[in-house]
Structures are given as structure tokens and as C-alpha cells.
Amino acid sequence: WGVLGAHFAAVGCHPHLGVAMYAVDSLRQLAHTFLARDEHALYAFQSAFLRPFEQVMHAHPSVRMRELVLSCIHHLLQTRADRVRSGWRIMFAVLAAAAADEEAAIVDLGWEVCAQAVVLASGALASVCEGAAFLDAVGCVRAFAAQDRSERASAAAIVALATEMPAQLGTDALPALVAQAAGAAHPGHSGG
């Protein structure tokens, strides 16, 4: 997948918008098919085949391309969120890139997708917390709260951080999830 992923990222960043859009839409179709299959716990293939979305989101100068990437992530979340495992980290990275975008329209669209991702992810906490994706989710929502291009997205992200995310997790689950996420983020650290 290394060669194909690099090719999708390169073509997805092509200056001709039609070529780039075709590549990203093809990647979405391929990702949809791959997400239909179970991912083994020891592999992170989902993050590998979703990475070109992140690369295009960071590199393409066209607002329309970045909107397409967000639409693809939104589609994958709506249709395959229950199958996502290692792919959560990349999805939250794409959304965090939207929070850092200079275009308010991208920030707003990114927040809409992020808000839905957080709700969908709360239904799949075990897979979200694997590999520290829980920390990525919090960091992504925090990026929307801290940005200054969309007051609406910022205010909604602050509410999500303060009330909605803790409520979705439940007070009993939060300490265990934070400890699990911290352990995944620092696998060799023994705490002493």
C-alpha cells in the first residue's frame, strides 16, 4: 500500500482540479471497501490507506479539494464508523487540519464533521481508545475551540469539551479511558 498510497496523495495534490478530485473520490471508494473488512488488532492498515486524505488536506491549495476531502471523511463516518479501528487517528488528524485551515468555510464544514465523528466515536469507545485515538479526538475538538476563523465552531467545540464529551464517556469510564490512552501514548512508561 505504500506505493499506492503515495500515488493517491500525489495525484490528489495535482494542480488540475479534475484529476485531483477523481483521485480523491477513487480513494474514498477504495476506503469504503477496505473499511468493510475487519482490521486485525495488531495491524494499522486503516491508518495507512486513509493517510492520503490527510496529505491532500494539508497540501492542496484549492478550497474545493479540501471540501471534497472533508466530504469523503464524512461519508466514511456515516457509512462505516462501526468498522473503524486504527483509522480514527487519521480521521481526527484530517479534521484537526480543517480546524487550522485559513478558510472559515472549511473550518465550519470540518466542525460539522468533527461533531458527528465525536458522537459516532463515543459509540465505538474501545476502538477509539486503542492507539491513543481518544487523545486525538480531544486534541481535534480542542483545535476547533482554539481557532479564530469561526466563532460558531469555536463556541460549539468549547461546549463539546466541557459537557458533551464527558457526558458521552460517562463519569465512570473517563479515568480508565484516560489511563488507557496515556498508556497507549507512552507504551514504555511504567509510571514510576
Side-chain angles (χ1 to χ4, degrees):
W1 179 256
V3 173
L4 280 177
H7 179 72
F8 273 110
V11 178
C13 291
H14 194 277
H16 187 276
L17 204 54
V19 172
M21 291 178 116
Y22 187 81
V24 169
D25 187 57
S26 297
L27 180 62
R28 177 195 57 81
Q29 293 173 35
L30 197 55
H32 189 267
T33 302
F34 283 149
L35 285 173
R37 299 179 181 162
D38 283 331
E39 181 178 55
H40 191 278
L42 299 177
Y43 298 104
F45 185 62
Q46 290 179 357
S47 65
F49 72 73
L50 292 172
R51 190 162 314 282
F53 287 116
E54 180 185 15
Q55 294 166 328
V56 172
M57 188 70 187
H58 282 289
H60 208 287
S62 170
V63 171
R64 287 183 55 202
M65 260 323 281
R66 296 192 308 274
E67 285 174 345
L68 178 61
V69 170
L70 290 172
S71 295
C72 290
I73 295 297
H74 184 243
H75 171 79
L76 293 172
L77 285 168
Q78 285 191 316
T79 58
R80 300 282 193 220
D82 60 327
R83 309 294 288 196
V84 178
R85 300 290 177 262
S86 68
W88 283 115
R89 293 195 81 177
I90 298 299
M91 288 186 174
F92 286 123
V94 169
L95 296 171
D101 203 281
E102 293 299 318
E103 295 291 329
I106 296 296
V107 175
D108 284 333
L109 179 59
W111 172 250
E112 290 174 23
V113 177
C114 181
Q116 185 176 29
V118 168
V119 169
L120 291 169
S122 70
L125 282 176
S127 67
V128 172
C129 289
E130 283 177 17
F134 173 71
L135 298 176
D136 295 317
V138 172
C140 180
V141 175
R142 187 186 151 295
F144 279 101
Q147 59 78 32
D148 62 357
R149 282 149 320 282
S150 172
E151 188 174 313
R152 182 184 68 80
S154 181
I158 290 168
V159 169
L161 282 171
T163 59
E164 294 171 9
M165 288 181 82
Q168 288 170 348
L169 289 174
T171 55
D172 295 338
L174 189 57
L177 293 174
V178 170
Q180 182 180 358
H186 307 289
H189 183 60
S190 62

